Amino acid sequence: MIKAKDIAAVTVDGAPFTAWTEFEVEYNLQHTSVGLLRLSTTEPNAFLGKATQIWPGRKVDLALGGVPVFSGIPTVRQAHIAAAQHDLHIVVESHDYPLGVGTLNPNPGEYKNQTIQQITSALAGKVGVAVKVHGGAGAGVPFPMYRETAGQSILSAIETLARCRNYHLCFDPTSALLHLVPLDVPFLGGSGGINLVEGKNFFDGTV
């Protein structure tokens, strides 16, 4: 009997989507991407029209064992056609993806005596992503001066500020919120972040 912890659930605009055959989730802070979901699907219900298919612009969510781990918008829909069947390769970008590919266009460009919460919220807010700083000694220490660098990615700028105040970055399953967590707190538990637990809601992965 299949247990709840063994189930991966994909929803499209809130409706269950069961035609997928495999998926891959990628979160990457070192390169340009923040969050990507790659889906393979046979889409056997294609004759019902776009309402039952995954198309760019629709909201796609993924839960593992009942725990939300990803939310985003499709950007790629690529078909593979053979004589007996067809399948689709779909790429979904997380809502916070623009943090990694968007670059700073200094406005206002200069911040004086502001905290890491204030500066990172202003930077991430340029692409509609919120930031939450989870306490720590560095939370109340203002930066005497911070200047945006034109062409630098938003995520790179936030990561640099986080390092200066001993924080690491943690994703949120809504993809609309970025957590800054003190280095001595590696896991947020129930307060936010993506709660993947080895042996519970995931069993295999590559780090």
Side-chain angles (χ1 to χ4, degrees):
M1 180 178 178
I2 298 178
K3 299 178 181 179
K5 69 177 184 180
D6 301 325
I7 297 175
V10 177
T11 59
V12 181
D13 287 341
F17 182 86
T18 59
W20 60 272
T21 56
E22 64 180 23
F23 67 84
E24 174 186 332
V25 181
E26 173 187 332
Y27 279 96
N28 194 329
L29 282 175
Q30 299 301 318
H31 303 291
T32 57
S33 63
V34 175
L36 293 174
L37 169 64
R38 299 180 180 88
L39 279 169
S40 294
T41 172
T42 57
E43 226 172 50
N45 52 1
F47 68 92
L48 295 176
K50 287 187 177 181
T52 59
Q53 301 173 4
I54 299 179
W55 285 83
R58 306 193 70 184
K59 184 174 182 288
V60 176
D61 297 286
L62 171 68
L64 301 179
V67 178
V69 296
F70 185 92
S71 181
I73 302 294
T75 56
V76 175
R77 178 183 167 90
Q78 185 177 43
H80 174 263
I81 301 173
Q85 67 177 35
H86 82 279
D87 53 58
L88 290 166
H89 177 70
I90 294 170
V91 177
V92 185
E93 294 180 358
S94 61
H95 299 300
D96 51 14
Y97 185 85
L99 288 176
V101 297
T103 57
L104 294 173
N105 180 17
N107 182 19
E110 186 174 276
Y111 305 83
K112 295 181 179 179
N113 295 315
Q114 294 194 30
T115 64
I116 189 169
Q117 175 72 73
Q118 292 172 311
I119 300 174
T120 57
S121 292
L123 297 179
K126 295 174 185 286
V127 292
V129 177
V131 175
K132 182 177 181 179
V133 177
H134 291 261
V141 181
F143 289 84
M145 175 70 74
Y146 174 75
R147 292 187 177 92
E148 297 180 17
T149 302
Q152 182 182 19
S153 78
I154 298 172
L155 184 63
S156 174
I158 291 175
E159 185 180 24
T160 298
L161 290 165
R163 290 175 184 269
C164 290
R165 291 294 183 265
N166 294 320
Y167 289 94
H168 66 92
L169 279 58
C170 183
F171 293 106
D172 191 272
T174 66
S175 299
L177 178 64
L178 185 64
H179 299 273
L180 269 61
V181 185
L183 290 176
D184 58 353
V185 183
F187 182 63
L188 288 174
S191 63
I194 299 172
N195 299 326
L196 299 180
V197 181
E198 184 177 354
K200 291 187 176 181
N201 61 358
F202 89 96
F203 296 90
D204 187 19
T206 301
V207 178

